[in-house]
Amino acid sequence: MAAILSMPGPDPGRHARLTAAAALAACLLALRWADPLPLEAMRLQAFDLAAAFCPRPAHPGRVVAVDIDDASLEAAGQWPWPRAAMARLVERMRQRGAEAVVFTVVFAEPDRWSPPRFASVPDLPAGVSGILADLPDTDRVFAESLRGVPVVLARALRREAGSAEEVVPAGVQGRFGLIGPAAGLSLPGHAGVIDNLPVLQDTAAGAGVTALAVDADGVVRRFAAVLRAGGRLLAGLGPETARIVGQASGFLVEAGRGGLKAVRVGALRVPVDADGWFRPRLCGLDGVPVVRAADLLGPGPSAGAGVLEGRIAVVGVSAQGIGSAWRTAAADRPVPAPVLEAAMIGDLLAGRWLHRPALAGILETLAALGCVLAAGLPASRRARFGAALVLAAILAGSALLVLRSEGLLLDWTLPVLAAGLAPVAAGIADRRRERANRRRGDRLMGQVVDASPDPIVTVSGAGAIQSCNAAAAALAALPPAVLAGRGAGPLFGLSPQDLELLIRQRLEGRPTPPVEVETARPCGAPMFLELAVGMLDADSAVLVGRDITRRKLAQNRLSRALADNEALLREIHHRVRNNLQGIWGIIALEKSFLTDATALERLSAIQDRLLVLGRIHEQLAFSGDLARIDIAAQVDRLCRSLADPRLDDGRISLDVRVDALHCHIETALPLGLTIHELLCNSLKFAFPEGRRGLMTVRLERRDGTVVLDVADDGVGLPLDAGRAAGIGRTLLAALASQLEASPETAGPPGHRVRLTMPGRLFE
């Protein structure tokens, strides 16, 4: 049918798809210009995929984190530590060969543990104030320790918002020089910075602002390279460290009409955004070496040896309640501040950063427009979605490739979104063409239905014929025009009420399986149909009658043959029962001529076994199922047939519990004989001299097996039971073998026999 509908010719939907593509392109351009928060979140998530493909550094790099953690506070006291301890920490790092030391904490207040500060405490003993005043100031001791190694101190931004005052031209701002127009330095302003003590600031090699940007999703991706506070330009902690380590005199700021472009520090050119932030890769955060401050302050001479040699030590606090930890795209858990700052400095010195090219926005917009055209114009729905998938894979793969190799951030979310929406818009545009094809297909379908050999009619909800094919007209021996308006029931051998019930059931949405009906051909011969009811709309249905006359006649012949076989099997079982009964009578006649008690007892046992077999054949002869025997009914009849006066007067009780099980005669015969033998043994040996007791029979399914359990609470089998049981014990072993089981016995006290049989015998 699809080949009939897809005839060659001009594509009437191309113009509509082109219009839809233009409308979609306009909407995407407006979306890109507005840049709402959900689109920004998608872009950030796309950039974060770089963490999964980020190349890990082959070596730890030039930085090591010195962590003031909980263990360090427990060893050296609560924070803030005395400046003498900080001086000792700097000295230990210098002794272990640290290239430079970078602090991420600000020392804005004097040391509260400095001895001269205690000289003014009232009521001190005589002479103590003078001794304390003569002791060295620990802030100066700490400052002197900063002379032994290049140290970069941290500055912190104040929380108050900055003013909108203009920045003094960069050419007159100390360490900063400008490349480009001065208008490009329109940085956001901050009120000021929290600086270190002057004595420390004057001694340290440099000071940088420790500032990071937390995006809307709570992830840290950017760090300050250059910013404005209090009307002056300040360097971030990373660029300032690069300046000190590289022994550069200052910074060169590249600016354009759209804002900042990069910050140069010696040979490094760090790309930044318009607000002065740069993006380190932050890959391999778990590979940053970490040394505890407590280990450096400890008495051991080897603490930190080899790790600090030739590296930059980044000192920070991660202790709970004092330090901070930040979420990053490359780590599963929050990263402590010293490790994060160390990774940032390491990436900056190694040139591992991410940046967006100047023409990224134009390239992304052109890619989105190309996706709209490539995925929205093809006429085939499969081709459109195939093109969308290929384009999305190429765009995403290319963006991740250039990000991995060159560190370029390209926003592939908008082009991929365009590739995904273009087939949808084209599909909406194709609806008009599909409706036209549907109308043409309806006409062609009428021809197909008319050529079908099965009678097909469309009817109203009441069963009146609306239209029919040639086969239905031939069945009724009337032209289609005459059949219109008549009831369809007589055509299919149904009463009007039954047909209307079927139609209403289908129109109401209830399941309507096909039904078999019998009608007559125009020649009078019987005809069997499988009538299926389909729904056309809310008020009409279609009736399709499939000719199953040959199959029905074959089924009737098969049913008659099965009935004959079943009658034959019943007769066989009945005759077997009669034969067993005849044998029982012969044995009874033979017993009348015997006087030996042992022979009479054994012949009686044989008669009992014959009765068990006869009852099984009798049950098969008169049951409805010749292939499956009801085990529960069989065991119940067997137990009720036991002849013993002690069972009648209640001295011996019999408790029978059998699950609902069925089996074949090949299993029922040995099972019945087994239960009979076990019960007869219990009656014979378990309750001597009028002893009262209980016999139990259990047959139940357990974990894929069926377990037979026959037990009594009598005296148990006597020592000579093997000789007394005689053929019974041998017969029991043979019967258990037929049931694929081995008897398990227990007792005394009492006696128990258990047979565990495969569950497949009872399926």
Side-chain angles (χ1 to χ4, degrees), residues 98-161:
E99 179 183 2
V101 177
V102 179
F103 283 97
T104 64
V105 293
V106 182
F107 303 99
E109 298 179 354
D111 185 11
R112 59 180 179 176
W113 301 106
S114 182
R117 296 192 63 185
F118 292 96
S120 59
V121 176
D123 300 329
L124 289 175
V128 174
S129 296
I131 295 174
L132 293 175
D134 293 338
L135 291 176
D137 185 4
T138 54
D139 286 325
R140 295 189 177 276
V141 173
F142 183 33
E144 287 300 320
S145 69
L146 304 184
R147 299 181 185 275
V149 62
V151 175
V152 179
L153 298 178
R155 291 169 166 168
L157 291 174
R158 296 187 182 275
R159 296 181 180 273
E160 298 85 356

Side-chain angles (χ1 to χ4, degrees), residues 432-507:
R432 179 177 300 176
R433 180 169 57 90
E434 292 175 358
R435 286 195 295 267
N437 288 341
R438 189 178 299 115
R439 288 192 296 268
R440 185 162 56 93
D442 290 341
R443 294 193 300 269
L444 295 176
M445 181 58 70
Q447 300 175 9
V448 173
V449 169
D450 197 55
S452 173
D454 296 327
I456 302 175
V457 299
T458 59
V459 294
S460 65
I465 297 177
Q466 296 174 340
S467 63
C468 65
N469 66 345
L475 179 62
L478 292 173
V482 178
L483 281 177
R486 294 191 178 189
L491 181 65
F492 296 103
L494 292 174
S495 66
Q497 294 79 10
D498 292 341
L499 181 60
E500 184 176 358
L501 180 62
L502 284 175
I503 295 172
R504 286 299 174 190
Q505 181 177 342
R506 184 65 184 89
L507 294 180

Side-chain angles (χ1 to χ4, degrees), residues 92 95-97 291 295-296 300-309 311:
R92 292 291 177 87
Q95 293 173 357
R96 284 156 179 77
V291 177
D295 296 338
L296 291 174
S302 61
V307 180
L308 290 170
E309 181 70 30
R311 290 196 175 100

Side-chain angles (χ1 to χ4, degrees), residues 434-648:
E434 292 175 358
R435 286 195 295 267
N437 288 341
R438 189 178 299 115
R439 288 192 296 268
R440 185 162 56 93
D442 290 341
R443 294 193 300 269
L444 295 176
M445 181 58 70
Q447 300 175 9
V448 173
V449 169
D450 197 55
S452 173
D454 296 327
I456 302 175
V457 299
T458 59
V459 294
S460 65
I465 297 177
Q466 296 174 340
S467 63
C468 65
N469 66 345
L475 179 62
L478 292 173
V482 178
L483 281 177
R486 294 191 178 189
L491 181 65
F492 296 103
L494 292 174
S495 66
Q497 294 79 10
D498 292 341
L499 181 60
E500 184 176 358
L501 180 62
L502 284 175
I503 295 172
R504 286 299 174 190
Q505 181 177 342
R506 184 65 184 89
L507 294 180
E508 291 172 1
R510 289 180 290 169
T512 309
V515 296
E516 293 185 1
V517 297
E518 182 179 357
T519 185
R521 300 181 188 273
C523 63
M527 180 179 185
F528 296 93
L529 298 174
E530 186 178 66
L531 183 61
V533 184
M535 181 177 177
L536 290 179
D537 52 40
D539 298 319
S540 58
V542 59
L543 305 179
V544 180
R546 177 173 296 177
D547 188 358
I548 59 170
T549 304
R550 292 184 179 180
R551 186 181 73 185
K552 193 66 176 178
L553 294 177
Q555 288 178 348
N556 292 339
R557 290 193 296 269
L558 180 60
S559 298
R560 287 194 297 270
L562 290 176
D564 294 340
N565 290 338
E566 183 176 348
L568 181 60
L569 284 175
R570 291 185 188 278
E571 181 63 22
I572 291 174
H573 285 296
H574 182 67
R575 293 192 179 189
V576 170
R577 172 186 172 277
N578 292 341
N579 291 336
L580 292 173
Q581 188 173 3
I583 296 173
W584 185 91
I586 294 172
I587 295 175
L589 182 61
E590 186 69 27
K591 286 172 56 180
S592 64
F593 296 101
L594 296 177
T595 59
D596 184 87
T598 303
L600 289 172
E601 181 181 358
R602 291 189 176 182
L603 288 177
S604 297
I606 293 174
Q607 284 182 307
D608 292 339
R609 294 168 185 136
L610 289 175
L611 287 176
V612 172
L613 298 176
R615 291 190 183 96
I616 295 175
H617 284 284
E618 181 182 10
Q619 182 180 355
L620 280 174
F622 297 102
S623 66
D625 191 350
L626 294 175
R628 291 158 47 104
I629 297 178
D630 187 349
I631 296 299
Q634 176 191 345
V635 174
D636 181 67
R637 292 184 61 190
L638 187 151
C639 294
R640 284 192 287 106
S641 66
L642 291 174
D644 194 295
R646 294 173 295 176
L647 291 173
D648 299 333

